[in-house]
Amino acid sequence: MFKNVLNLFYPKVCLGCKTFLLAKENVICTQCRHEIPLTLHHLNPENEAYKKFYGKIPVEFALAFVYFHKKGIVQELIHNLKYKGHEEIGDLVGDWCASEIAGLEFLKSITDVIPVPLHPRKLKERGYNQVTSFGKSLSKNLNINYNEQILVRSRYSKTQTKKNLLNRIEVNNESIFTVKFTSNDHHKHFLLIDDVLTTGSTLEACGKELLKIPGSKISVLCMAMSH
């Protein structure tokens, strides 16, 4: 009752298109959900996300869940998640993604979900890591441990969206990530997650650190991929 009254005065809007949400809609409207372009990477092990890492780092499996287009619905969602505090978007995408990939063979050996970390200064500025809600949703739905302690960002760097490809690669080759592990972490299979896959250089840098752990393997899962 109270919730219905609250919605009357402060109606919820779709975080994709800003239209008012209907009673049974959550976070995004039904139309936006139908218009979000799925990659279907999980149906093809040799997909375009996997090919991003050819000759760079060995990955067991790689996929992005949806495509990211400039001025599209996914861009609006990622912007709201990353800069507007709408962490519920990560929950939504995590639940949705988990329901699609739950039966994949590679998941059977995954031991930990590892988010690409923010530097403590960046975390303080933003107040949260934009992939945390996504990662915790995956963890809950797939029954896999969520681990945000093993990989840390040791150097602060500004947002890379305006940097060209060469500069991104140079920045991420400067070992801005550090892995902290014990013998209990040996021979694990880590699922490294991020919001948007572009060049893959950040994930490559993270992967190289995780692969310093004896016997470790990595797979990659991103919410979206630029297309």
Side-chain angles (χ1 to χ4, degrees):
M1 178 73 175
F2 176 74
K3 185 177 180 180
N4 290 336
V5 173
L6 190 65
N7 287 339
L8 180 64
F9 291 98
Y10 301 97
K12 293 183 178 180
V13 298
C14 171
L15 294 178
C17 68
K18 307 303 183 192
T19 60
F20 292 130
L21 291 176
L22 301 178
K24 293 184 179 181
E25 293 177 332
N26 181 41
V27 185
I28 58 174
C29 66
T30 302
Q31 182 174 340
C32 276
R33 182 160 179 141
H34 286 161
E35 291 180 0
I36 289 176
L38 303 180
T39 66
L40 301 182
H41 285 168
H42 62 290
L43 302 179
N44 175 23
E46 295 286 328
N47 62 65
E48 57 197 321
Y50 181 80
K51 291 177 181 177
K52 286 274 188 181
F53 303 98
Y54 274 0
K56 298 176 181 177
I57 54 172
V59 297
E60 304 302 307
F61 202 99
L63 68 113
F65 186 54
V66 300
Y67 283 119
F68 179 105
H69 297 111
K70 287 187 176 180
K71 299 183 179 180
I73 295 170
V74 175
Q75 183 185 40
E76 185 67 21
L77 291 175
I78 295 295
H79 180 81
N80 277 304
L81 168 64
K82 196 169 183 176
Y83 302 111
K84 301 294 184 179
H86 288 289
E87 294 185 84
E88 65 270 28
I89 292 171
D91 293 323
L92 171 76
V93 178
D95 290 345
W96 188 4
C97 180
S99 70
E100 294 290 332
I101 69 173
L104 294 183
E105 187 67 24
F106 88 98
L107 288 172
K108 294 179 181 179
S109 63
I110 296 290
T111 56
D112 298 81
V113 175
I114 310 290
V116 169
L118 293 181
H119 186 273
R121 176 179 163 188
K122 177 69 75 175
L123 187 60
K124 185 177 180 179
E125 291 171 355
R126 185 172 295 163
Y128 60 97
N129 184 335
Q130 70 272 13
V131 296
T132 295
S133 57
F134 174 60
K136 288 186 174 181
S137 177
L138 291 172
S139 171
K140 178 187 68 177
N141 284 285
L142 300 174
N143 195 28
I144 300 171
N145 181 51
Y146 182 77
N147 188 340
E148 57 186 357
Q149 282 79 44
I150 197 168
L151 188 65
V152 298
R153 192 167 192 135
S154 52
R155 191 173 68 80
Y156 178 84
S157 60
K158 295 182 179 180
T159 301
Q160 297 189 49
T161 52
K162 295 183 180 179
K163 295 184 178 181
N164 61 37
L165 174 59
L166 179 60
N167 286 337
R168 288 188 191 187
I169 292 174
E170 287 175 346
V171 165
N172 285 298
N173 277 343
E174 292 177 356
S175 298
I176 63 176
F177 299 100
T178 303
V179 66
K180 297 183 177 181
F181 64 94
T182 69
S183 59
N184 291 330
D185 298 307
H186 292 187
H187 304 289
K188 285 189 172 184
H189 184 180
F190 302 109
L191 181 61
L192 184 61
I193 63 166
D194 203 2
D195 51 3
V196 182
L197 174 60
T198 51
T199 66
S201 56
T202 297
L203 289 158
E204 179 188 347
C206 289
K208 285 179 177 178
E209 287 298 310
L210 289 172
L211 289 171
K212 290 178 180 179
I213 302 173
S216 63
K217 297 187 293 185
I218 59 169
S219 289
V220 174
L221 172 56
C222 295
M223 296 175 67
M225 178 177 183
S226 58
H227 188 245

